[in-house]
Amino acid sequence: MNTLDDASHVVTLRLQLPDQPGSLATALDVIGASGAHVGDIALVGIDGAFKIRDVEVYFVDPPHCQSTVERLRSTDVEVLRTVDVVMEVHRGGSIATRARVALDSLSDLRRVYTPGVARVCSKIAEDPGAAWDYTAIGHKVAIVSNGTAVLGLGDIGPLASLPVMEGKAAIFSKFVGLSAEPLLIDSKDPRLLIDTVARCASGYGAIQLEDIAAPACFDVERGLQKILDKPVFHDDQHGTATVCVAGLKSALQRVGRTPSECEAVVLGSGAAGSAITRFLLEFGVADVVMVDSVGAIFEGRSDKMSDEKRALAAISNKGGVQGSLAEVLKGRNLFVGVSRPGLVSPEMVRSMAQDPIVFALANPVSEISVGDAKQAGAAVAMDGRGMNNALAYPGIFRGALMARARRITPKMMLAAADALSEAAGEHLLPDMMDLSVHERVSLAVCNAADPD
């Protein structure tokens, strides 16, 4: 049976049902028997002997939808229309630029544009720092991507990644009131990416790097941080790491352990796995062993080692552990997966230390389901749907811009993780839709920023 978490294809079915008792229940039984999940139901019309209802249904994919529609049509239900909800939400794009000042008269226009605007331009020419006061820079973020590592889709190119970047911009606007603009760059060359962003950066207060594949993402981030005097933050790395540590803080309170009592395994050596490893060590975790497709990463390993892996091997895996994932997991009490579906078995979880914490964060399908992990003995388990980057990055950017920070530091990320954990209450992580959570993160990050 499919779970609601597997259902990513959302469709509204317009159904014409006989106006008699039980007809709606029959239709819902057919939908349920197909493994789909029902959302909102609305009565939209009455036509003689029929009622017309819009039923929101969550399917796994389009073929799943089609087979269910065919089942419905084999009954006395007529399917009048199917509407792909997600496609309709994105029709015309999910963001727009709008004026924040009045333009209702010629006088308004002369103040906002010529001739009045010349005074503001002259002021900034004399004092570039004045742009923070007299332009939108202080609440403006560039979302930079080349579309080479789009979540669940891989290398689909910059144009196909645009709906994701627009979605990120919409989140910035809704959660923390920041203006964000997608900046798509059609190149895989780190040097060209760095140069292009550097040349465009003066109009933004901060740069968010998004869906850029490893190892280029490491070079791009570090290169821009050297050049630009403003925050550059790769969300796939540091946003993921921040939320992971926030969830870990809450989980450790449940199991009565400290970070120094944790021996971790991180599965996945890409952008997210590398940042999580570094941040777990920064948080105080006793030891972390990274595992890639070859096995444990350790100093001296020669097979499939990059500069980033060699740097991580120098600070992690203190005991020089070698072997496969199954071998490395034995006796460890923390697992973080940012790799591929189905790589962790219940037997592997059972081989871990008592009451382990399992964060299986691969998207859209995790390394092991939360249910299977708990049945195998995990004291705490979470997947990537419950541990969403959008809990962290809006507040991190807003806090950094509020402080006019030049960098987003580990100290600021730890402050964000603390704020998230404190806001979680009895849960591992707080409700992402609670705007007060993002306000708390913003303030914590701003207060943790280093003074100029």
Side-chain angles (χ1 to χ4, degrees):
M1 176 69 75
N2 298 306
T3 67
L4 186 57
D5 282 347
D6 298 325
S8 59
H9 185 59
V10 188
V11 175
T12 295
L13 303 178
R14 177 156 290 184
L15 306 180
Q16 180 177 279
L17 306 163
D19 189 9
Q20 58 190 34
S23 61
L24 176 59
T26 298
L28 297 181
D29 285 343
V30 171
I31 294 169
S34 77
H37 295 262
V38 175
D40 293 338
I41 301 173
L43 178 65
V44 296
I46 299 175
D47 182 14
F50 299 96
K51 285 183 178 177
I52 301 173
R53 297 182 186 271
D54 280 348
V55 181
E56 186 180 67
V57 186
Y58 294 79
F59 298 102
V60 173
D61 51 29
H64 185 203
C65 173
Q66 184 59 39
S67 66
T68 304
V69 168
E70 290 171 0
R71 291 187 192 185
L72 286 167
R73 284 176 173 155
S74 69
T75 67
D76 57 1
V77 176
E78 184 174 353
V79 181
L80 300 178
R81 188 174 69 182
T82 64
V83 177
D84 188 320
V85 175
V86 173
M87 296 300 290
E88 289 305 308
V89 165
H90 285 270
R91 188 180 294 278
S94 56
I95 58 172
T97 299
R98 292 185 173 88
R100 57 173 294 275
V101 295
L103 281 175
D104 299 324
S105 67
L106 185 58
S107 294
D108 290 337
L109 184 61
R110 287 175 172 172
R111 284 190 286 265
V112 172
Y113 195 49
T114 188
V117 73
R119 288 187 57 218
V120 185
C121 295
S122 297
K123 174 69 173 177
I124 296 171
E126 295 170 3
D127 175 16
W132 278 85
D133 297 314
Y134 296 108
T135 74
I137 282 178
H139 52 86
K140 198 171 178 184
V141 178
I143 306 176
V144 177
S145 182
N146 64 356
T148 52
V150 179
L151 186 63
L153 299 172
D155 184 357
I156 60 174
L159 183 60
S161 77
L162 182 55
V164 178
M165 307 312 137
E166 288 188 351
K168 289 270 186 179
I171 288 170
F172 270 120
S173 176
K174 175 65 177 179
F175 289 171
V176 294
L178 292 181
S179 235
E181 295 176 357
L183 179 59
L184 306 181
I185 302 174
D186 191 5
S187 176
K188 297 179 182 180
D189 183 346
R191 293 170 299 179
L192 195 150
L193 290 168
I194 292 167
D195 184 63
T196 302
V197 176
R199 291 174 184 273
C200 297
S202 60
Y204 302 94
I207 308 295
Q208 181 184 36
L209 303 178
E210 185 70 28
D211 292 349
I212 300 172
C217 62
F218 305 123
D219 295 334
V220 172
E221 181 186 35
R222 290 166 187 160
L224 287 172
Q225 286 174 340
K226 289 179 181 178
I227 295 170
L228 300 179
D229 195 24
K230 62 185 63 182
V232 178
F233 187 86
H234 187 198
D235 183 46
D236 298 326
Q237 291 187 65
H238 310 303
T240 304
T242 301
V243 179
C244 181
V245 167
L248 179 59
K249 284 177 63 70
S250 300
L252 290 175
Q253 292 173 7
R254 288 191 184 185
V255 299
R257 284 199 293 269
T258 64
S260 63
E261 295 172 315
C262 289
E263 292 188 319
V265 175
V266 173
L267 177 60
S269 60
S274 298
I276 288 169
T277 296
R278 292 181 183 278
F279 202 36
L280 287 176
L281 293 169
E282 185 83 27
F283 178 55
V285 168
D287 189 26
V288 181
V289 178
M290 290 188 70
V291 178
D292 62 8
S293 60
V294 175
I297 294 173
F298 57 90
E299 276 199 290
R301 198 184 91 173
S302 58
D303 191 11
K304 293 187 178 180
M305 290 292 282
S306 63
D307 290 342
E308 182 68 15
K309 290 180 185 179
R310 280 187 282 271
L312 286 162
I315 61 172
S316 64
N317 195 354
K318 297 176 181 178
V321 174
Q322 302 181 31
S324 66
L325 173 64
E327 293 169 320
V328 173
L329 271 175
K330 292 177 182 177
R332 300 241 157 192
N333 56 17
L334 171 62
F335 169 78
V336 181
V338 279
S339 54
R340 298 193 308 276
L343 294 183
V344 176
S345 67
E347 290 74 24
M348 292 181 188
V349 176
R350 281 192 282 271
S351 77
M352 297 177 70
Q354 185 176 3
D355 295 329
I357 297 167
V358 175
F359 290 162
L361 308 182
N363 261 320
V365 181
S366 57
E367 291 85 356
I368 184 172
S369 71
V370 170
D372 286 348
K374 287 185 175 180
Q375 286 184 359
V380 180
M382 182 171 277
D383 60 22
R385 294 174 185 268
M387 194 168 280
N388 195 309
N389 291 8
L391 271 166
Y393 71 79
I396 289 175
F397 272 95
R398 183 167 181 244
L401 289 172
M402 288 166 60
R404 298 192 181 184
R406 297 178 179 178
R407 297 284 184 271
I408 294 173
T409 63
K411 179 182 175 184
M412 295 160 74
M413 291 164 57
L414 282 171
D418 287 342
L420 288 171
S421 180
E422 290 167 4
E426 61 183 13
H427 304 288
L428 285 178
L429 290 168
D431 180 5
M432 184 169 61
M433 302 308 295
D434 183 349
L435 298 185
S436 70
V437 170
H438 301 284
E439 180 69 22
R440 290 176 69 163
V441 173
S442 300
L443 292 173
V445 170
C446 179
N447 291 335
D450 294 328
D452 289 340

